[in-house]
Amino acid sequence: MSVGGQFKRIGEIGIALGLWGIVIWLFSKPKRILFFLLIVFITAFSISLIFDDTGETFYVNTNTLELCDKPFGTTKIKLKMNDSLTLIREMSDDWMQVAVGVDTLYFKENFYNDSELGYTYKIQKTPFTKWKALPGQKVLLNHPDGYLEAGGSMIKNGDVITILDYSEYDKEIKFKNTGGTFTKIPIEYLKINWEKILKNYPNIQ
């Protein structure tokens, strides 16, 4: 065995002995076991609270959302984009239980695949804005230099780019170039047909 292999083997043995030492120390006294279980319980409970959206206000992020009186029931209300509702709980088989005013209603699947947006959610904690509508949109390059070097490929002004993601914080879009890699560029380097977007999403904010 080489010297490097020997050191690696010694390190593995040292880690194993250290872990066994911790286990033996932990379970040598009942108080330590209870303390350990208490930490695990508190951690699991805290994580569940962080990801629990029960009682939170959500906004419709699709043009329309049909709500039924019960699972597999009849449609009672049809909400429009950016109407608000309260999430009660997520149910079996992707059904969602929500509240609109004093009414408890239901709809199935909080996700969908939109031809313009791609994979997204029907209700979200923030209203649907024109910036959320950018992923999936086809736009034109409008670089001040007249071209853009992107991942080994050259793109000229007027070439079509499909937006994969948009960061409102950085004001940048991400797209996949012809070389197969991803490139980010400022949104100001694009020509966007906002009229088409606003027509497709009339209740956009």
Side-chain angles (χ1 to χ4, degrees):
M1 182 182 291
S2 66
V3 176
Q6 292 177 0
F7 277 111
K8 181 180 179 182
R9 181 61 178 167
I10 292 171
E12 292 173 349
I13 294 173
I15 293 172
L17 290 175
L19 291 174
W20 275 113
I22 292 173
V23 171
I24 293 171
W25 175 83
L26 184 63
F27 290 95
S28 61
K29 290 185 178 182
K31 288 184 178 180
R32 291 174 182 167
I33 298 175
L34 291 174
F35 182 70
F36 174 74
L37 293 176
L38 181 62
I39 291 176
V40 171
F41 175 77
I42 292 174
T43 302
F45 182 71
S46 300
I47 292 174
S48 65
L49 286 178
I50 292 173
F51 291 99
D52 184 12
D53 293 325
T54 301
E56 296 282 344
T57 299
F58 281 74
Y59 299 88
V60 177
N61 270 233
T62 183
N63 275 333
T64 58
L65 179 66
E66 295 184 358
L67 302 179
C68 303
D69 58 349
K70 61 183 178 180
F72 307 109
T74 57
T75 301
K76 288 296 181 181
I77 297 177
K78 184 180 290 187
L79 298 182
K80 295 181 179 180
M81 178 177 284
N82 288 324
D83 284 344
S84 63
L85 48 78
T86 302
L87 176 64
I88 297 177
R89 65 189 178 103
E90 297 183 29
M91 305 175 68
S92 302
D93 198 24
D94 294 324
W95 279 92
M96 310 288 289
Q97 185 181 53
V98 298
V100 179
V102 297
D103 296 324
T104 299
L105 301 163
Y106 306 82
F107 72 94
K108 188 174 183 181
E109 297 175 340
N110 187 31
F111 56 88
Y112 69 105
N113 194 351
D114 186 280
S115 59
E116 296 290 340
L117 294 173
Y119 181 80
T120 187
Y121 290 91
K122 295 177 181 177
I123 61 172
Q124 296 183 28
K125 289 186 178 180
T126 54
F128 191 89
T129 65
K130 66 178 185 179
W131 308 115
K132 283 188 178 183
L134 286 178
Q137 298 290 338
K138 297 184 183 299
V139 296
L140 304 178
L141 181 67
N142 189 34
H143 199 281
D145 294 334
Y147 67 91
L148 174 71
E149 292 184 78
S153 59
M154 192 73 75
I155 306 173
K156 70 178 184 299
N157 280 358
D159 284 348
V160 176
I161 292 174
T162 301
I163 298 176
L164 297 179
D165 194 18
Y166 172 68
S167 170
E168 193 169 352
Y169 177 80
D170 298 319
K171 305 298 181 185
E172 290 182 336
I173 65 103
K174 181 173 73 173
F175 70 97
K176 190 173 184 179
N177 54 60
T178 55
T181 57
F182 297 100
T183 300
K184 292 182 178 181
I185 60 171
I187 192 172
E188 62 189 80
Y189 295 165
L190 302 172
K191 186 177 292 184
I192 302 171
N193 189 348
W194 287 113
E195 184 178 347
K196 175 188 174 184
I197 293 175
L198 295 176
K199 182 178 179 180
N200 290 337
Y201 306 101
N203 295 304
I204 208 170
Q205 286 190 0

mmCIF file of all heavy atoms in Angstrom, residues 90-124:
data_model
loop_
_atom_site.group_PDB
_atom_site.id
_atom_site.type_symbol
_atom_site.label_atom_id
_atom_site.label_comp_id
_atom_site.label_asym_id
_atom_site.label_seq_id
_atom_site.Cartn_x
_atom_site.Cartn_y
_atom_site.Cartn_z
ATOM 1 N N GLU A 90 -52.638 20.926 2.759
ATOM 2 C CA GLU A 90 -52.443 20.094 1.582
ATOM 3 C C GLU A 90 -52.989 18.718 1.896
ATOM 4 O O GLU A 90 -52.661 18.124 2.921
ATOM 5 C CB GLU A 90 -50.964 20.032 1.209
ATOM 6 C CG GLU A 90 -50.373 21.385 0.822
ATOM 7 C CD GLU A 90 -48.928 21.289 0.384
ATOM 8 O OE1 GLU A 90 -48.546 20.215 -0.149
ATOM 9 O OE2 GLU A 90 -48.185 22.252 0.591
ATOM 10 N N MET A 91 -53.801 18.182 0.994
ATOM 11 C CA MET A 91 -54.481 16.917 1.225
ATOM 12 C C MET A 91 -53.859 15.800 0.390
ATOM 13 O O MET A 91 -52.873 16.018 -0.319
ATOM 14 C CB MET A 91 -55.969 17.080 0.900
ATOM 15 C CG MET A 91 -56.645 18.203 1.660
ATOM 16 S SD MET A 91 -58.363 18.461 1.146
ATOM 17 C CE MET A 91 -59.124 16.941 1.740
ATOM 18 N N SER A 92 -54.455 14.629 0.467
ATOM 19 C CA SER A 92 -53.974 13.483 -0.297
ATOM 20 C C SER A 92 -54.219 13.678 -1.791
ATOM 21 O O SER A 92 -55.110 14.432 -2.195
ATOM 22 C CB SER A 92 -54.669 12.206 0.174
ATOM 23 O OG SER A 92 -54.448 11.986 1.549
ATOM 24 N N ASP A 93 -53.426 12.983 -2.593
ATOM 25 C CA ASP A 93 -53.612 12.971 -4.049
ATOM 26 C C ASP A 93 -53.574 14.371 -4.653
ATOM 27 O O ASP A 93 -54.301 14.685 -5.594
ATOM 28 C CB ASP A 93 -54.931 12.280 -4.399
ATOM 29 C CG ASP A 93 -54.996 11.848 -5.865
ATOM 30 O OD1 ASP A 93 -53.920 11.655 -6.460
ATOM 31 O OD2 ASP A 93 -56.104 11.728 -6.403
ATOM 32 N N ASP A 94 -52.721 15.235 -4.071
ATOM 33 C CA ASP A 94 -52.462 16.587 -4.595
ATOM 34 C C ASP A 94 -53.640 17.547 -4.490
ATOM 35 O O ASP A 94 -53.662 18.577 -5.171
ATOM 36 C CB ASP A 94 -51.993 16.529 -6.060
ATOM 37 C CG ASP A 94 -50.640 15.850 -6.210
ATOM 38 O OD1 ASP A 94 -49.802 16.031 -5.308
ATOM 39 O OD2 ASP A 94 -50.440 15.141 -7.218
ATOM 40 N N TRP A 95 -54.616 17.253 -3.644
ATOM 41 C CA TRP A 95 -55.713 18.198 -3.438
ATOM 42 C C TRP A 95 -55.302 19.243 -2.414
ATOM 43 O O TRP A 95 -54.573 18.963 -1.457
ATOM 44 C CB TRP A 95 -56.973 17.471 -2.958
ATOM 45 C CG TRP A 95 -57.730 16.829 -4.086
ATOM 46 C CD1 TRP A 95 -57.599 15.560 -4.548
ATOM 47 C CD2 TRP A 95 -58.726 17.455 -4.903
ATOM 48 N NE1 TRP A 95 -58.446 15.348 -5.607
ATOM 49 C CE2 TRP A 95 -59.149 16.485 -5.842
ATOM 50 C CE3 TRP A 95 -59.299 18.719 -4.938
ATOM 51 C CZ2 TRP A 95 -60.129 16.745 -6.801
ATOM 52 C CZ3 TRP A 95 -60.265 18.995 -5.893
ATOM 53 C CH2 TRP A 95 -60.675 18.017 -6.811
ATOM 54 N N MET A 96 -55.749 20.480 -2.617
ATOM 55 C CA MET A 96 -55.454 21.592 -1.717
ATOM 56 C C MET A 96 -56.754 22.099 -1.113
ATOM 57 O O MET A 96 -57.744 22.289 -1.827
ATOM 58 C CB MET A 96 -54.777 22.731 -2.482
ATOM 59 C CG MET A 96 -53.594 22.320 -3.352
ATOM 60 S SD MET A 96 -52.139 21.868 -2.412
ATOM 61 C CE MET A 96 -51.638 23.472 -1.801
ATOM 62 N N GLN A 97 -56.755 22.303 0.201
ATOM 63 C CA GLN A 97 -57.912 22.868 0.891
ATOM 64 C C GLN A 97 -57.605 24.320 1.229
ATOM 65 O O GLN A 97 -56.601 24.621 1.877
ATOM 66 C CB GLN A 97 -58.203 22.074 2.173
ATOM 67 C CG GLN A 97 -59.472 22.517 2.886
ATOM 68 C CD GLN A 97 -59.710 21.736 4.165
ATOM 69 O OE1 GLN A 97 -58.826 21.656 5.008
ATOM 70 N NE2 GLN A 97 -60.899 21.155 4.300
ATOM 71 N N VAL A 98 -58.464 25.232 0.779
ATOM 72 C CA VAL A 98 -58.216 26.662 0.951
ATOM 73 C C VAL A 98 -59.478 27.349 1.459
ATOM 74 O O VAL A 98 -60.568 26.775 1.430
ATOM 75 C CB VAL A 98 -57.759 27.311 -0.373
ATOM 76 C CG1 VAL A 98 -56.450 26.706 -0.866
ATOM 77 C CG2 VAL A 98 -58.853 27.177 -1.448
ATOM 78 N N ALA A 99 -59.304 28.573 1.908
ATOM 79 C CA ALA A 99 -60.434 29.369 2.377
ATOM 80 C C ALA A 99 -60.497 30.670 1.587
ATOM 81 O O ALA A 99 -59.481 31.341 1.386
ATOM 82 C CB ALA A 99 -60.301 29.663 3.864
ATOM 83 N N VAL A 100 -61.705 31.013 1.139
ATOM 84 C CA VAL A 100 -61.969 32.297 0.499
ATOM 85 C C VAL A 100 -63.094 32.941 1.294
ATOM 86 O O VAL A 100 -64.243 32.503 1.218
ATOM 87 C CB VAL A 100 -62.375 32.134 -0.978
ATOM 88 C CG1 VAL A 100 -62.656 33.497 -1.599
ATOM 89 C CG2 VAL A 100 -61.281 31.419 -1.759
ATOM 90 N N GLY A 101 -62.738 33.932 2.084
ATOM 91 C CA GLY A 101 -63.715 34.483 3.009
ATOM 92 C C GLY A 101 -64.050 33.445 4.065
ATOM 93 O O GLY A 101 -63.168 32.893 4.711
ATOM 94 N N VAL A 102 -65.353 33.133 4.205
ATOM 95 C CA VAL A 102 -65.785 32.121 5.185
ATOM 96 C C VAL A 102 -65.973 30.753 4.536
ATOM 97 O O VAL A 102 -66.308 29.782 5.217
ATOM 98 C CB VAL A 102 -67.099 32.558 5.868
ATOM 99 C CG1 VAL A 102 -66.888 33.828 6.658
ATOM 100 C CG2 VAL A 102 -68.215 32.747 4.833
ATOM 101 N N ASP A 103 -65.753 30.655 3.225
ATOM 102 C CA ASP A 103 -65.977 29.408 2.497
ATOM 103 C C ASP A 103 -64.710 28.552 2.465
ATOM 104 O O ASP A 103 -63.609 29.054 2.218
ATOM 105 C CB ASP A 103 -66.431 29.689 1.059
ATOM 106 C CG ASP A 103 -67.770 30.402 1.007
ATOM 107 O OD1 ASP A 103 -68.614 30.093 1.872
ATOM 108 O OD2 ASP A 103 -67.956 31.260 0.132
ATOM 109 N N THR A 104 -64.877 27.264 2.699
ATOM 110 C CA THR A 104 -63.790 26.293 2.555
ATOM 111 C C THR A 104 -63.959 25.596 1.216
ATOM 112 O O THR A 104 -64.997 24.985 0.949
ATOM 113 C CB THR A 104 -63.818 25.262 3.698
ATOM 114 O OG1 THR A 104 -63.646 25.940 4.948
ATOM 115 C CG2 THR A 104 -62.699 24.237 3.525
ATOM 116 N N LEU A 105 -62.925 25.680 0.381
ATOM 117 C CA LEU A 105 -63.015 25.171 -0.984
ATOM 118 C C LEU A 105 -61.779 24.340 -1.317
ATOM 119 O O LEU A 105 -60.832 24.268 -0.540
ATOM 120 C CB LEU A 105 -63.172 26.338 -1.962
ATOM 121 C CG LEU A 105 -64.414 27.212 -1.722
ATOM 122 C CD1 LEU A 105 -64.279 28.545 -2.431
ATOM 123 C CD2 LEU A 105 -65.665 26.487 -2.177
ATOM 124 N N TYR A 106 -61.789 23.741 -2.528
ATOM 125 C CA TYR A 106 -60.746 22.781 -2.880
ATOM 126 C C TYR A 106 -60.343 22.930 -4.347
ATOM 127 O O TYR A 106 -61.141 23.305 -5.191
ATOM 128 C CB TYR A 106 -61.242 21.346 -2.643
ATOM 129 C CG TYR A 106 -61.757 21.103 -1.244
ATOM 130 C CD1 TYR A 106 -63.064 21.471 -0.902
ATOM 131 C CD2 TYR A 106 -60.947 20.524 -0.280
ATOM 132 C CE1 TYR A 106 -63.545 21.253 0.387
ATOM 133 C CE2 TYR A 106 -61.424 20.304 1.011
ATOM 134 C CZ TYR A 106 -62.727 20.675 1.336
ATOM 135 O OH TYR A 106 -63.191 20.467 2.600
ATOM 136 N N PHE A 107 -59.077 22.621 -4.630
ATOM 137 C CA PHE A 107 -58.640 22.454 -6.015
ATOM 138 C C PHE A 107 -57.511 21.432 -6.045
ATOM 139 O O PHE A 107 -56.857 21.169 -5.034
ATOM 140 C CB PHE A 107 -58.193 23.785 -6.645
ATOM 141 C CG PHE A 107 -56.883 24.321 -6.133
ATOM 142 C CD1 PHE A 107 -55.694 24.049 -6.787
ATOM 143 C CD2 PHE A 107 -56.836 25.123 -4.989
ATOM 144 C CE1 PHE A 107 -54.484 24.566 -6.328
ATOM 145 C CE2 PHE A 107 -55.647 25.636 -4.524
ATOM 146 C CZ PHE A 107 -54.453 25.359 -5.197
ATOM 147 N N LYS A 108 -57.297 20.829 -7.198
ATOM 148 C CA LYS A 108 -56.298 19.765 -7.305
ATOM 149 C C LYS A 108 -55.031 20.279 -7.971
ATOM 150 O O LYS A 108 -55.096 20.971 -8.985
ATOM 151 C CB LYS A 108 -56.851 18.574 -8.089
ATOM 152 C CG LYS A 108 -55.917 17.371 -8.055
ATOM 153 C CD LYS A 108 -56.518 16.135 -8.714
ATOM 154 C CE LYS A 108 -55.562 14.964 -8.577
ATOM 155 N NZ LYS A 108 -56.086 13.732 -9.219
ATOM 156 N N GLU A 109 -53.906 19.905 -7.382
ATOM 157 C CA GLU A 109 -52.566 20.182 -7.901
ATOM 158 C C GLU A 109 -52.228 21.668 -7.905
ATOM 159 O O GLU A 109 -52.866 22.462 -8.582
ATOM 160 C CB GLU A 109 -52.397 19.608 -9.322
ATOM 161 C CG GLU A 109 -52.522 18.101 -9.354
ATOM 162 C CD GLU A 109 -52.478 17.532 -10.767
ATOM 163 O OE1 GLU A 109 -52.729 18.298 -11.725
ATOM 164 O OE2 GLU A 109 -52.205 16.337 -10.897
ATOM 165 N N ASN A 110 -51.218 21.978 -7.137
ATOM 166 C CA ASN A 110 -50.762 23.366 -7.053
ATOM 167 C C ASN A 110 -49.655 23.654 -8.049
ATOM 168 O O ASN A 110 -48.928 24.612 -7.900
ATOM 169 C CB ASN A 110 -50.278 23.666 -5.625
ATOM 170 C CG ASN A 110 -49.963 25.137 -5.444
ATOM 171 O OD1 ASN A 110 -50.574 25.979 -6.080
ATOM 172 N ND2 ASN A 110 -48.998 25.455 -4.609
ATOM 173 N N PHE A 111 -49.493 22.817 -9.048
ATOM 174 C CA PHE A 111 -48.453 23.063 -10.050
ATOM 175 C C PHE A 111 -49.006 22.753 -11.434
ATOM 176 O O PHE A 111 -49.978 22.026 -11.588
ATOM 177 C CB PHE A 111 -47.220 22.188 -9.785
ATOM 178 C CG PHE A 111 -47.519 20.717 -9.715
ATOM 179 C CD1 PHE A 111 -47.525 19.942 -10.859
ATOM 180 C CD2 PHE A 111 -47.802 20.120 -8.505
ATOM 181 C CE1 PHE A 111 -47.813 18.590 -10.803
ATOM 182 C CE2 PHE A 111 -48.092 18.758 -8.431
ATOM 183 C CZ PHE A 111 -48.096 17.999 -9.584
ATOM 184 N N TYR A 112 -48.381 23.335 -12.424
ATOM 185 C CA TYR A 112 -48.798 23.087 -13.797
ATOM 186 C C TYR A 112 -47.659 23.455 -14.737
ATOM 187 O O TYR A 112 -46.673 24.075 -14.347
ATOM 188 C CB TYR A 112 -50.053 23.890 -14.153
ATOM 189 C CG TYR A 112 -49.851 25.381 -14.252
ATOM 190 C CD1 TYR A 112 -49.800 26.019 -15.487
ATOM 191 C CD2 TYR A 112 -49.701 26.160 -13.106
ATOM 192 C CE1 TYR A 112 -49.615 27.395 -15.580
ATOM 193 C CE2 TYR A 112 -49.515 27.521 -13.186
ATOM 194 C CZ TYR A 112 -49.476 28.131 -14.427
ATOM 195 O OH TYR A 112 -49.275 29.491 -14.502
ATOM 196 N N ASN A 113 -47.790 23.066 -15.979
ATOM 197 C CA ASN A 113 -46.775 23.359 -16.985
ATOM 198 C C ASN A 113 -47.385 24.281 -18.023
ATOM 199 O O ASN A 113 -48.148 23.853 -18.874
ATOM 200 C CB ASN A 113 -46.273 22.060 -17.629
ATOM 201 C CG ASN A 113 -44.987 22.284 -18.423
ATOM 202 O OD1 ASN A 113 -44.559 23.408 -18.636
ATOM 203 N ND2 ASN A 113 -44.366 21.211 -18.864
ATOM 204 N N ASP A 114 -47.058 25.555 -17.928
ATOM 205 C CA ASP A 114 -47.596 26.570 -18.822
ATOM 206 C C ASP A 114 -46.676 26.716 -20.032
ATOM 207 O O ASP A 114 -45.456 26.705 -19.903
ATOM 208 C CB ASP A 114 -47.712 27.897 -18.073
ATOM 209 C CG ASP A 114 -48.410 28.956 -18.911
ATOM 210 O OD1 ASP A 114 -47.736 29.541 -19.768
ATOM 211 O OD2 ASP A 114 -49.600 29.194 -18.690
ATOM 212 N N SER A 115 -47.260 26.866 -21.217
ATOM 213 C CA SER A 115 -46.448 26.967 -22.436
ATOM 214 C C SER A 115 -45.538 28.182 -22.412
ATOM 215 O O SER A 115 -44.471 28.187 -23.019
ATOM 216 C CB SER A 115 -47.355 27.025 -23.671
ATOM 217 O OG SER A 115 -48.226 28.144 -23.597
ATOM 218 N N GLU A 116 -45.939 29.225 -21.699
ATOM 219 C CA GLU A 116 -45.133 30.443 -21.629
ATOM 220 C C GLU A 116 -44.214 30.436 -20.403
ATOM 221 O O GLU A 116 -43.064 30.835 -20.470
ATOM 222 C CB GLU A 116 -46.049 31.673 -21.574
ATOM 223 C CG GLU A 116 -46.889 31.883 -22.815
ATOM 224 C CD GLU A 116 -46.064 32.312 -24.010
ATOM 225 O OE1 GLU A 116 -44.951 32.804 -23.813
ATOM 226 O OE2 GLU A 116 -46.545 32.146 -25.144
ATOM 227 N N LEU A 117 -44.745 29.967 -19.274
ATOM 228 C CA LEU A 117 -44.003 30.063 -18.015
ATOM 229 C C LEU A 117 -43.155 28.843 -17.708
ATOM 230 O O LEU A 117 -42.194 28.930 -16.961
ATOM 231 C CB LEU A 117 -44.982 30.274 -16.847
ATOM 232 C CG LEU A 117 -45.743 31.582 -16.840
ATOM 233 C CD1 LEU A 117 -46.784 31.559 -15.737
ATOM 234 C CD2 LEU A 117 -44.798 32.739 -16.644
ATOM 235 N N GLY A 118 -43.511 27.680 -18.268
ATOM 236 C CA GLY A 118 -42.850 26.462 -17.875
ATOM 237 C C GLY A 118 -43.457 25.947 -16.574
ATOM 238 O O GLY A 118 -44.615 26.198 -16.269
ATOM 239 N N TYR A 119 -42.659 25.234 -15.792
ATOM 240 C CA TYR A 119 -43.149 24.645 -14.544
ATOM 241 C C TYR A 119 -43.307 25.715 -13.484
ATOM 242 O O TYR A 119 -42.370 26.431 -13.172
ATOM 243 C CB TYR A 119 -42.162 23.582 -14.078
ATOM 244 C CG TYR A 119 -42.564 22.869 -12.814
ATOM 245 C CD1 TYR A 119 -43.494 21.837 -12.853
ATOM 246 C CD2 TYR A 119 -42.003 23.214 -11.595
ATOM 247 C CE1 TYR A 119 -43.863 21.171 -11.701
ATOM 248 C CE2 TYR A 119 -42.364 22.550 -10.437
ATOM 249 C CZ TYR A 119 -43.289 21.522 -10.499
ATOM 250 O OH TYR A 119 -43.644 20.866 -9.347
ATOM 251 N N THR A 120 -44.510 25.856 -12.945
ATOM 252 C CA THR A 120 -44.752 26.884 -11.941
ATOM 253 C C THR A 120 -45.871 26.437 -11.006
ATOM 254 O O THR A 120 -46.383 25.330 -11.116
ATOM 255 C CB THR A 120 -45.106 28.218 -12.606
ATOM 256 O OG1 THR A 120 -45.173 29.236 -11.610
ATOM 257 C CG2 THR A 120 -46.430 28.130 -13.352
ATOM 258 N N TYR A 121 -46.250 27.307 -10.058
ATOM 259 C CA TYR A 121 -47.277 26.983 -9.078
ATOM 260 C C TYR A 121 -48.498 27.871 -9.280
ATOM 261 O O TYR A 121 -48.369 29.047 -9.604
ATOM 262 C CB TYR A 121 -46.728 27.160 -7.665
ATOM 263 C CG TYR A 121 -45.701 26.115 -7.300
ATOM 264 C CD1 TYR A 121 -44.356 26.325 -7.534
ATOM 265 C CD2 TYR A 121 -46.101 24.904 -6.742
ATOM 266 C CE1 TYR A 121 -43.419 25.352 -7.218
ATOM 267 C CE2 TYR A 121 -45.173 23.930 -6.412
ATOM 268 C CZ TYR A 121 -43.832 24.160 -6.656
ATOM 269 O OH TYR A 121 -42.911 23.196 -6.348
ATOM 270 N N LYS A 122 -49.674 27.299 -9.033
ATOM 271 C CA LYS A 122 -50.910 28.032 -9.238
ATOM 272 C C LYS A 122 -51.116 29.107 -8.178
ATOM 273 O O LYS A 122 -51.652 30.175 -8.468
ATOM 274 C CB LYS A 122 -52.097 27.060 -9.234
ATOM 275 C CG LYS A 122 -52.093 26.075 -10.396
ATOM 276 C CD LYS A 122 -53.265 25.105 -10.287
ATOM 277 C CE LYS A 122 -53.258 24.093 -11.419
ATOM 278 N NZ LYS A 122 -54.358 23.113 -11.284
ATOM 279 N N ILE A 123 -50.737 28.814 -6.945
ATOM 280 C CA ILE A 123 -50.822 29.825 -5.888
ATOM 281 C C ILE A 123 -49.453 29.997 -5.252
ATOM 282 O O ILE A 123 -48.724 29.025 -5.053
ATOM 283 C CB ILE A 123 -51.882 29.455 -4.808
ATOM 284 C CG1 ILE A 123 -51.532 28.145 -4.109
ATOM 285 C CG2 ILE A 123 -53.265 29.386 -5.427
ATOM 286 C CD1 ILE A 123 -52.427 27.824 -2.926
ATOM 287 N N GLN A 124 -49.097 31.248 -5.000
ATOM 288 C CA GLN A 124 -47.808 31.566 -4.397
ATOM 289 C C GLN A 124 -48.001 32.665 -3.360
ATOM 290 O O GLN A 124 -49.037 33.342 -3.333
ATOM 291 C CB GLN A 124 -46.806 32.000 -5.463
ATOM 292 C CG GLN A 124 -46.474 30.909 -6.475
ATOM 293 C CD GLN A 124 -45.426 31.340 -7.473
ATOM 294 O OE1 GLN A 124 -44.584 32.179 -7.190
ATOM 295 N NE2 GLN A 124 -45.474 30.778 -8.672
#
